[in-house]
Amino acid sequence: MNIIQRLQKIMPANIQPIACSWEEHLAKMQKISEEASLQDAIFRKQHRIENLFGRSGIAPLHAHCRFENYHIFNAGQKNALNQSVSFAKNFGTGFGGFVFSGGCGTGKNHLAASIGYYLMSKGRSVLCITVADLMMRFRATYEKTAKVTEQQLLDELCKVDLLILDEIGIQYQHSENTKIIINQLVDRRTSHKKPIGMLTNLNSEQIRQVLGDRIIDRMMMSNGIWLNFNWSSYRRKVQ
């Protein structure tokens, strides 16, 4: 009589053991151990982001943003919500990214943050960062007292499950160094089949002038999506 059988014999009738055999018990313990290891890996990945950027993956300004509280006033916004939800729920089935293009106050950041929070709730790591903040972080790696090298920072940015770059082309023309960094990130992430999102006020022609056709074409690989937020700001409509 093994230990499982002895336990079954002395346990009250209304209590059932988690396993009916020693083999089943070992299998369940192994599954629990694997799940704990996975959660630990997820925690460490997001923790590295917090250490590097001093915050979690989504800026505090958009901490309230969820799909459920995205306000719809027209058909375009309904389509944007549906496609964003689909992107989040199908994340991992492809590596296509997204470009949200439109004016200020049209909901680009709300839906991008909603995607991020949904993925983080599923154990994915996410970072949404402005191009200006990104370049500030890279410039900091050149300082003598820097604890992180440029290559290490690039490596960490390529490990994040979803990287979202905000304010692409906010000054219309980025510096050459900025373009090189964005090109490196897009190239490396698409090569490793990791999606990247972009938020911009520029239209299709303008962003292609800023980043080049090659980068935008890479963004559209593997069923990447481009959404035009071509309606007026709704911030004043939302109470």
Side-chain angles (χ1 to χ4, degrees):
M1 183 180 294
N2 62 37
I3 189 171
I4 300 295
Q5 292 171 326
R6 289 200 296 270
L7 283 172
Q8 286 177 316
K9 197 169 183 179
I10 63 174
M11 287 171 65
N14 64 323
I15 298 178
Q16 296 297 318
I18 63 171
C20 296
S21 68
W22 184 247
E23 291 75 15
E24 185 182 350
H25 174 76
L26 289 177
K28 288 192 175 185
M29 290 301 101
Q30 182 177 355
K31 184 178 180 181
I32 291 172
S33 176
E34 289 172 353
E35 289 175 351
S37 295
L38 177 60
Q39 290 301 316
D40 182 61
I42 291 168
F43 172 80
R44 284 187 281 107
K45 188 185 291 186
Q46 197 70 38
H47 187 62
R48 285 200 301 268
I49 294 172
E50 294 178 10
N51 284 339
L52 279 171
F53 296 95
R55 60 172 173 82
S56 61
I58 309 297
L61 179 64
H62 304 112
H64 69 288
C65 296
R66 301 292 187 275
F67 292 130
E68 293 77 15
N69 58 21
Y70 178 77
H71 295 270
I72 298 174
F73 298 103
N74 58 55
Q77 291 169 334
K78 184 176 182 179
N79 176 60
L81 174 62
N82 289 340
Q83 291 213 47
S84 297
V85 170
S86 178
F87 179 89
K89 290 188 175 181
N90 293 304
F91 191 84
T93 59
F95 62 92
F98 62 82
V99 178
F100 290 173
S101 169
C104 297
T106 52
K108 301 186 304 296
N109 286 95
H110 188 122
L111 287 181
S114 299
I115 290 172
Y117 278 116
Y118 178 88
L119 294 179
M120 287 192 290
S121 75
K122 302 298 180 182
R124 303 282 190 167
S125 58
V126 177
L127 175 65
C128 183
I129 185 171
T130 65
V131 171
D133 195 12
L134 177 73
M135 296 313 298
M136 182 178 69
R137 301 293 175 175
F138 272 99
R139 285 194 292 272
T141 65
Y142 309 147
E143 298 174 0
K144 291 182 179 180
T145 57
K147 296 180 180 179
V148 179
T149 67
E150 179 180 8
Q151 188 59 50
Q152 287 172 328
L153 180 58
L154 187 61
D155 288 342
E156 289 299 328
L157 288 167
C158 290
K159 290 176 183 176
V160 178
D161 291 320
L162 175 63
L163 174 65
I164 304 171
L165 299 181
D166 190 11
E167 298 183 355
I168 293 282
I170 191 170
Q171 297 171 331
Y172 197 78
Q173 293 293 334
H174 288 307
S175 69
E176 284 304 312
N177 193 38
T178 301
K179 292 179 185 179
I180 290 171
I181 293 296
I182 294 174
N183 270 263
Q184 286 181 312
L185 284 170
V186 174
D187 277 347
R188 287 188 56 177
R189 287 186 64 84
T190 53
S191 295
H192 288 83
K193 296 187 175 182
K194 291 210 166 187
I196 187 167
M198 291 185 178
L199 310 182
T200 182
N201 293 340
L202 305 182
N203 60 33
S204 175
E205 182 180 347
Q206 290 170 332
I207 197 171
R208 284 182 181 273
Q209 289 177 13
V210 171
L211 298 181
D213 289 338
R214 179 174 170 276
I215 290 301
I216 300 304
D217 289 344
R218 283 207 163 214
M219 290 292 298
M220 295 298 103
M221 291 172 65
S222 188
N223 298 317
I225 59 175
W226 184 300
L227 290 178
N228 290 312
F229 289 62
N230 53 0
W231 45 84
S232 60
S233 173
Y234 67 42
R235 282 177 181 159
R236 293 182 181 179
K237 298 179 183 180
V238 179
Q239 301 300 321

